């Protein structure tokens, strides 16, 4: 069986029906049916058929799905226009009103809003627990629990959920488990190894890797992918041909990018931990991270995501220092998103200020002096030098 780096280049090549070495952009909404009525029926009714109508499928989307299924060690995969489309369509394919979901407090803000503003008014019950407490997940299970939904590492405090525990708990209770694997990427973590059933990604982040597209992916067995596909053609968030082509291009260098990002982040985190202006560094690759040994058990690399707490005499002063630091950095752009080749930094308390209550921020570990860093592939010497000059005047 081919190795991961080879799969990134060659898997699903058969979905390119042309002689072009690079899979073309299939910029077409629809495809000729030919003269065979049987073949037309097959095209119209087969899940993910790549040459019928764009909302049903597209050759580049099929090639990406083949690659992602290999990376995540699932039977199949399906691509979407955004990560939120992958998440919402998948969950809506699993639960109905009256069902119960167990999830964690710390979730991507869009996912949190989907639970709060959509699923709960829709009649689905949701219990949120502390993700680092395995027993809390077990205790929250009810008779009508349909789904355990987790995210690890989570955003922005970089806490981990124990994948082996959740995978086994789901199997024991006959409850479906879904994990958002965006922060780790399949290079660093494959939740299927731990018995998790369904893996979702915002492909906007590491998978695309160049901050030039939005996309989402869900990886699961064939049965679930077909079920989710049937919902997806109704909800309609299909990935456009050009974004699909960009995603396929980005995927080719996924392993190279993530390895360089892992190395850069480790060095930057170790450096930051020694700086007097920084009160705390959250990085799962540091022995000081409270879940470092769990990180070593379930991840092969420790990602490019670091969060730090800037020092201050009080919360307000820490807030001002955090703002000052962001403004003084030259290489780290103050921008949302993550996982691209360029380093980014955000102030979570400002970014999510509007749709998180103070209690929610606390439960997600968001403090006023916290900054979240997405380390890119620039040279580490320059990244450290940038922090060095920016922290000088704090
Ligand atoms: C960005 C992100 C999402 C949402 O993805 P979009 O592509 O922006 O819709 C979901 N989960 C995590 C962890 C993310 O970082």
């Amino acid at each position: 069986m081919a190795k991961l780096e080879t799969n990134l280049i060659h898997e699903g090549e058969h979905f390119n029906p042309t002689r072009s070495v690079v899979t073309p952009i299939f910029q077409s909404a629809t495809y000729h049916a030919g003269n065979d009525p049987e073949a037309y029926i097959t095209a119209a009714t087969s899940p993910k058929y790549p040459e019928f109508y764009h909302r049903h499928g597209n050759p580049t989307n099929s090639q990406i799905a083949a690659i992602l299924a290999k990376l995540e060690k699932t039977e199949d995969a399906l691509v979407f226009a955004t990560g939120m489309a992958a998440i919402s369509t998948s969950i809506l394919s699993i639960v109905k009103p009256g069902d119960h979901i167990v999830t964690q407090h710390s979730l991507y803000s869009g996912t949190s809003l989907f639970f709060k503003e959509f699923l709960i008014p829709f009649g689905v019950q949701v219990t949120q627990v502390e993700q680092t407490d395995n027993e809390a997940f077990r205790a929250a299970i009810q008779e009508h629990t349909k789904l355990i939904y987790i995210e690890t590492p989570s955003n922005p405090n970089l806490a981990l959920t124990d994948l082996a525990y959740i995978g086994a708990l789901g199997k024991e209770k006959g409850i479906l488990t879904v994990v958002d694997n965006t922060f780790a990427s399949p290079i660093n973590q494959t939740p299927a190894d731990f018995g998790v059933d369904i893996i979702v990604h915002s492909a906007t982040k590491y998978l695309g890797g160049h901050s030039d597209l939005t996309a989402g992916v869900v990886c699961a067995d064939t049965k679930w992918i077909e079920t989710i596909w049937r919902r997806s053609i109704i909800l309609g968030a299909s990935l456009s041909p050009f974004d699909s082509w960009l995603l396929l291009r980005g995927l080719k260098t996924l392993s190279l990018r993530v390895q360089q990002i892992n190395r850069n982040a480790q060095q930057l985190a170790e450096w930051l931990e020694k700086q007097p202006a920084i009160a705390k560094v959250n990085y799962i690759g540091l022995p000081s991270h409270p879940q470092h040994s769990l990180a070593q058990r379930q991840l092969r690399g420790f990602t490019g995501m670091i969060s730090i707490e800037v020092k201050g005499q009080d919360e307000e002063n820490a807030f001002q220092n955090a703002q000052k630091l962001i403004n003084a950095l030259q290489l780290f752009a103050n921008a949302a998103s993550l996982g691209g080749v360029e380093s980014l930094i955000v102030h979570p308390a400002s970014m999510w200020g509007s749709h998180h209550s103070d209690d929610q921020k606390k439960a997600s570990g968001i403090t006023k002096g916290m900054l979240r860093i997405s380390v890119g592939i620039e040279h580490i010497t320059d990244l450290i030098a940038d922090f060095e000059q920016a922290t000088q005047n704090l």
Side-chain angles (χ1 to χ4, degrees):
M1 212 170 70
K3 301 274 191 231
L4 186 150
E5 285 76 7
T6 311
N7 287 329
L8 283 170
I9 310 297
H10 293 293
E11 189 58 33
E13 273 177 337
H14 61 281
F15 285 109
N16 171 11
T18 73
R19 293 170 64 89
S20 170
V21 168
V22 174
T23 302
I25 304 171
F26 291 89
Q27 192 68 46
S28 184
T30 189
Y31 296 81
H32 285 292
N35 300 324
D36 177 357
E38 284 297 317
Y40 187 75
I41 292 169
T42 302
T45 55
S46 302
K48 297 167 61 192
Y49 199 84
E51 293 179 317
F52 171 66
Y53 178 68
H54 182 74
R55 185 153 37 74
H56 286 224
N58 161 286
T60 327
N61 288 2
S62 286
Q63 193 170 346
I64 291 167
I67 293 171
L68 260 299
K70 268 276 188 279
L71 293 187
E72 288 291 10
K73 304 183 189 170
T74 55
E75 288 173 3
D76 206 351
L78 184 63
V79 299
F80 291 86
T82 63
M84 280 314 302
I87 292 167
S88 57
T89 308
S90 299
I91 295 176
L92 287 173
S93 307
I94 298 164
V95 299
K96 57 181 190 318
D99 289 340
H100 176 245
I101 300 176
V102 177
T103 188
Q104 56 191 53
H105 288 296
S106 188
L107 289 170
Y108 176 71
S109 61
T111 309
S112 244
L113 288 174
F114 177 63
F115 284 129
K116 194 174 90 185
E117 297 190 4
F118 190 95
L119 283 182
I120 293 173
F122 186 66
V124 175
Q125 282 175 282
V126 179
T127 305
Q128 288 181 286
V129 301
E130 164 54 43
Q131 75 188 108
T132 57
D133 182 357
N134 285 345
E135 288 305 320
F137 283 97
R138 179 180 293 274
I141 292 174
Q142 300 179 20
E143 212 162 294
H144 58 309
T145 304
K146 257 293 180 47
L147 163 67
I148 303 175
Y149 183 94
I150 59 171
E151 186 180 319
T152 182
S154 73
N155 194 15
N157 58 340
L158 303 168
L160 304 180
T161 310
D162 188 333
L163 288 172
Y165 185 89
I166 298 298
L169 181 62
K171 294 275 179 290
E172 178 195 326
K173 302 277 185 187
I175 298 170
L176 204 69
T177 48
V178 177
V179 59
D180 184 334
N181 200 28
T182 300
F183 267 39
S185 88
I187 304 298
N188 290 329
Q189 174 171 282
T190 31
D193 289 341
F194 302 95
V196 175
D197 300 304
I198 298 182
I199 299 104
V200 291
H201 279 278
S202 168
T204 310
K205 318 294 170 51
Y206 287 108
L207 300 180
H210 295 73
S211 307
D212 54 5
L213 62 90
T214 65
V217 186
V218 54
C219 305
D221 64 18
T222 308
K223 183 181 134 276
W224 272 110
I225 290 300
E226 287 193 17
T227 303
I228 298 167
W229 176 82
R230 284 182 208 290
R231 280 280 176 279
S232 78
I233 59 169
I234 298 169
L235 294 172
S238 50
L239 181 62
S240 78
F242 183 53
D243 281 358
S244 177
W245 186 84
L246 283 173
L247 176 54
L248 182 60
R249 183 188 165 111
L251 275 174
K252 295 179 189 193
T253 55
L254 178 68
S255 176
L256 289 174
R257 287 185 283 105
V258 170
Q259 289 179 56
Q260 167 89 349
I261 285 169
N262 287 344
R263 277 194 300 271
N264 276 355
Q266 184 73 38
Q267 287 190 55
L268 181 63
E270 285 171 10
W271 183 87
L272 284 166
E273 209 173 29
K274 296 192 209 107
Q275 303 313 305
I278 310 298
K280 189 166 170 227
V281 180
N282 292 311
Y283 184 62
I284 58 173
L286 291 176
S288 62
H289 190 283
Q291 294 174 296
H292 182 58
S293 64
L294 176 59
Q296 286 174 314
R297 287 204 299 281
Q298 67 187 28
L299 290 116
R300 290 176 290 274
F302 299 130
T303 87
M305 301 308 295
I306 305 173
S307 69
I308 58 175
E309 308 235 2
V310 181
K311 246 185 214 158
Q313 282 117 27
D314 51 31
E315 266 197 67
E316 225 24 68
N317 184 234
F319 179 80
Q320 284 158 7
N321 282 340
Q323 298 280 19
K324 242 175 152 172
L325 179 57
I326 281 200
N327 291 339
L329 286 165
Q330 315 260 302
L331 287 177
F332 292 78
N334 181 197
S337 199
L338 60 106
V341 291
E342 59 290 288
S343 294
L344 302 177
I345 189 162
V346 289
H347 187 232
S350 308
M351 191 157 82
W352 300 314
S354 56
H355 44 68
H356 277 40
S357 68
D358 282 350
D359 278 353
Q360 271 177 313
K361 271 186 233 160
K362 210 164 177 191
S364 307
I366 301 173
T367 62
K368 287 196 158 181
M370 179 183 265
L371 294 174
R372 189 194 75 187
I373 304 164
S374 169
V375 180
I377 63 169
E378 300 94 334
H379 199 287
I380 185 61
T381 310
D382 296 324
L383 295 179
I384 290 176
D386 196 24
F387 260 97
E388 199 156 26
Q389 63 79 22
T391 46
Q392 241 156 34
N393 300 320
L394 289 186

